[in-house]
Amino acid sequence: MEILIPALIFAGLGAAIGILLAVASKAFAVPANEKAEQIAELLPGANCGGCGYSGCAALAEAIAEGKAKPNACAVGGDAEAAEIAKIMGVAAEKPVRLHAQVMCSGCEGVAKYKFEYEGVADCKAAMQLGGGSKTCPNGCLGLGSCVAKCQFNAISIVDGIAVVDREKCKACGMCVATCPKNIIKLIPFDSKYYVGCVSTEKGAVKRAYCDASCIGCKMCEKACPTGAIAVENFVAKIDYEKCINCGACVSKCPRKIIRI
Amino acid sequence: MDGIIDILILMFTAIFIENFIFAKFYGCCPFLGVSEKPGTALGMGMAVTFVMTVASAVTWTVYEFLLAPFGLDYLKTIAFILVIAGLVQFIEMFLRRFVPSLYSSLGIFLPLITTNCAVLGAALVNIQNGYNFIQSVAFGFSAALGFTMAIVVFAGVRVRLQFANPPKAFKGMPIALVTAGLIAMAFMGFSGMSIG
C-alpha cells in the first residue's frame, strides 16, 4: 500500500503534464509557412550569413514573405535561385556570379614595412598598432582574418597577402565584412582583370609605400577602347559594366598591377 | 516592513553572497557553453531568469500541496525535474504563439535549460530553506539575476581573452576555466559579509 500512493500521485502528475502539453501543442500551434519550409530545404544549409540574415532558415522565411529576392543566396547559385523562384511563382532573375577579390598587390618584397609585427595573428589586432606593419594604410596585412572567416576554404595567404581562389569563392561576403582595411571587394566572376591597388594617396607618396602601387599615370585610361577604366582620386578603377576583357590596359600598365 | 527588508536581504544574498555560479557552482554548463559573446550570454541569462522565477513558483506549489501532505519529501527531486521539464515546454509553446518577439530572442535558449541544474537547484534550495511562496519566487528571481550577472561579466572577459596570448596549452577552454576560478575567488570577498 505504501508504494501505491506515491505511484498514483506521480502517474497523475505525469498524466496531467502530458495532457497539458498535448492540449497546448494543439491550441498554440503556429501555422507553419509551407513555402518557407520548401525554400529552406533548397538552401545550402551552411548558415554562412552571407545574405545578411541570421541563417538559412531566416532567409527562407524572408523569401517566403517577399522581403528577400529568390536569388538572395549567393552560395546556392543559379539552379537554386530558379527552383526557389518557381516556388514563389515569380520569374527567376539570373544572378550575376561574383567572387571576392583582395584589391592589393603589395606582397612581401614589394610593399614597405614600418615595423615587424609579432602579435596575435589577427588583422584587427594588428590594426590597433598604428594601422598595422605595412607603410601603406590600405595594404593587406596578410594575417588571415579573412582566411579564418571563410567557410569555403577559398582564401589563403600567399607571400604575405590574402589571395582568393575564385573557383571556390561563393561570394558570401563574409571576408568583405571582416577585413579591417576594407580592401576585399566583390567583382563579377566573368571579368578577368582587376586593379591591385586601392590607395587614394598621391602617386609620389604611393611610390614610396610600395612597388606595386597605382601611381595614377592614366596609361590604362588612354589604352582602354571602351572607357571602362578611369583614374579617380589617383587610383585606376575598372567599371565592370563596360569592361570587355580585352586586356589592353594590362600591357600598358608600367607598375604591372592590373592583374588577372 | 520587516517582511520587505527580509526579502531584500534574501535577494542580495542570492545575487552576491551565494551566487549560483561562483559560490555554489550550479549551472556551470551554460555558464561555460554560452558565454562567448556578451549578447548571447545576456539572452541566456534572461531565459534562465524567466524560467527560474516561474519554476520556483510552480515547484513550491507542487511541493506544498501535492508532495508534503502525503509525506513524499524524498521524491521531490524527481517530481521537480518532471514539472520543470513540462513547464519549460509549455512556456516555449506559449511564447511561440502569443509573444513571438520574446520567443525569437529567448527561443533557442529555452530547450537548453529544460533540465538545467541551476533551475532545479533553485527549486530544491527553496524547499530546503523552508521559504514561503513569496520568498521562493524572490529567491528564484534573484538567484537567476546573479547567474545573469555572472555569465555576462564572464562573457565580457572571454571577449578580451580571444586577443590574449596565453601559452599554447592554455588556449581556449583552459584559460577560460582559470579565469572563471579567479572571478569566483574575487566573489568570495562577499562571503565575509553577514547581513540580517
Side-chain angles (χ1 to χ4, degrees):
Chain A
M1 270 314 276
E2 237 173 82
I3 192 76
L4 204 61
I5 293 169
L8 280 178
I9 287 177
F10 266 73
L13 193 63
I17 292 173
I19 291 168
L20 180 74
L21 287 181
V23 172
S25 73
K26 281 270 181 283
F28 299 157
V30 179
N33 193 336
E34 274 179 34
K35 275 183 186 171
E37 275 175 20
Q38 285 173 352
I39 294 169
E41 271 178 31
L42 287 169
L43 292 171
N47 292 321
C48 70
C51 52
Y53 291 88
S54 60
C56 293
L59 175 65
E61 238 163 67
I63 295 177
E65 284 168 19
K67 285 185 203 154
K69 283 186 177 173
N71 62 2
C73 178
V75 179
D78 298 5
E80 179 199 289
E83 288 279 317
I84 294 174
K86 212 188 280 169
I87 293 175
M88 291 301 293
V90 295
E93 285 172 49
K94 193 173 160 41
V96 179
R97 183 174 172 187
L98 299 171
H99 75 94
Q101 180 65 58
V102 182
M103 299 296 200
C104 176
S105 351
C107 56
E108 265 165 30
V110 174
K112 305 282 190 294
Y113 288 83
K114 286 183 287 196
F115 57 88
E116 211 166 299
Y117 178 76
E118 277 188 357
V120 191
D122 180 89
C123 301
K124 273 199 187 106
M127 273 287 278
Q128 313 276 327
L129 288 169
S133 57
K134 274 186 181 158
T135 316
C136 174
N138 299 98
C140 173
L141 296 172
L143 293 166
S145 285
C146 50
V147 179
K149 265 280 186 269
C150 185
Q151 307 216 6
F152 305 99
N153 292 327
I155 313 180
S156 50
I157 304 292
V158 180
D159 288 339
I161 57 170
V163 176
V164 180
D165 180 340
R166 45 197 274 169
E167 293 299 330
K168 282 189 194 163
C169 178
K170 304 282 184 191
C172 72
M174 291 298 271
C175 53
V176 178
T178 298
C179 180
K181 294 275 191 190
N182 287 323
I183 53 169
I184 307 182
K185 303 268 186 279
L186 293 177
I187 65 172
F189 184 79
D190 297 327
S191 304
K192 273 163 88 178
Y193 306 106
Y194 73 95
V195 182
C197 183
V198 285
S199 176
T200 52
E201 307 263 4
K202 284 187 176 164
V205 179
K206 277 191 280 186
R207 205 187 272 272
Y209 285 161
C210 175
D211 291 339
S213 53
C214 175
I215 49 172
C217 66
K218 303 203 177 187
M219 296 279 271
C220 50
E221 199 176 305
K222 282 168 203 145
C224 184
T226 58
I229 190 163
V231 173
E232 210 177 294
N233 290 328
F234 311 104
V235 65
K237 210 176 163 196
I238 297 177
D239 180 348
Y240 289 105
E241 301 261 300
K242 291 184 194 160
C243 179
I244 52 168
N245 291 326
C246 66
C249 51
V250 179
S251 52
K252 288 284 181 208
C253 181
R255 308 280 282 175
K256 300 278 174 271
I257 53 156
I258 303 179
R259 298 150 63 114
I260 296 176
Chain B
M1 193 60 201
D2 273 359
I4 296 173
I5 290 175
D6 278 348
I7 295 281
L8 285 179
I9 290 173
L10 178 86
M11 291 178 75
F12 186 82
T13 310
I15 294 176
F16 292 105
I17 303 175
E18 287 181 6
N19 186 290
F20 258 36
I21 300 281
F22 295 134
K24 298 204 161 191
F25 307 109
Y26 293 157
C28 282
C29 167
F31 175 66
L32 292 169
V34 203
S35 60
E36 293 196 338
K37 285 181 196 155
T40 43
L42 188 64
M44 185 71 191
M46 303 293 258
V48 169
T49 308
F50 190 70
V51 169
M52 222 191 247
T53 311
V54 181
S56 288
V58 174
T59 50
W60 188 88
T61 315
V62 166
Y63 179 81
E64 203 62 24
F65 296 107
L66 199 60
L67 300 182
F70 294 97
L72 298 179
D73 195 63
Y74 59 96
L75 284 175
K76 61 177 184 290
T77 311
I78 300 171
F80 288 175
I81 291 177
L82 185 68
V83 171
I84 293 169
L87 179 72
V88 173
Q89 289 299 312
F90 182 78
I91 291 175
E92 195 185 346
M93 285 187 231
F94 181 84
L95 288 184
R96 192 167 182 182
R97 180 72 178 84
F98 294 108
V99 205
S101 56
L102 197 62
Y103 176 79
S104 59
S105 56
L106 298 187
I108 49 167
F109 301 112
L110 283 175
L112 291 175
I113 46 178
T114 307
T115 50
N116 184 278
C117 67
V119 181
L120 182 64
L124 289 173
V125 168
N126 284 336
I127 305 302
Q128 222 168 44
N129 293 355
Y131 292 149
N132 64 28
F133 183 76
I134 295 176
Q135 282 172 326
S136 293
V137 175
F139 180 79
F141 176 69
S142 42
L145 274 191
F147 174 88
T148 308
M149 179 194 66
I151 195 170
V152 172
V153 165
F154 188 56
V157 175
R158 277 187 88 171
V159 168
R160 307 286 298 196
L161 276 182
Q162 286 181 353
F163 291 102
N165 202 5
K168 207 172 180 185
F170 280 98
K171 279 225 165 81
M173 196 49 93
I175 195 72
L177 285 169
V178 169
T179 316
L182 290 175
I183 304 176
M185 282 214 281
F187 261 76
M188 290 195 65
F190 284 112
S191 68
M193 294 173 88
S194 90
I195 41 175

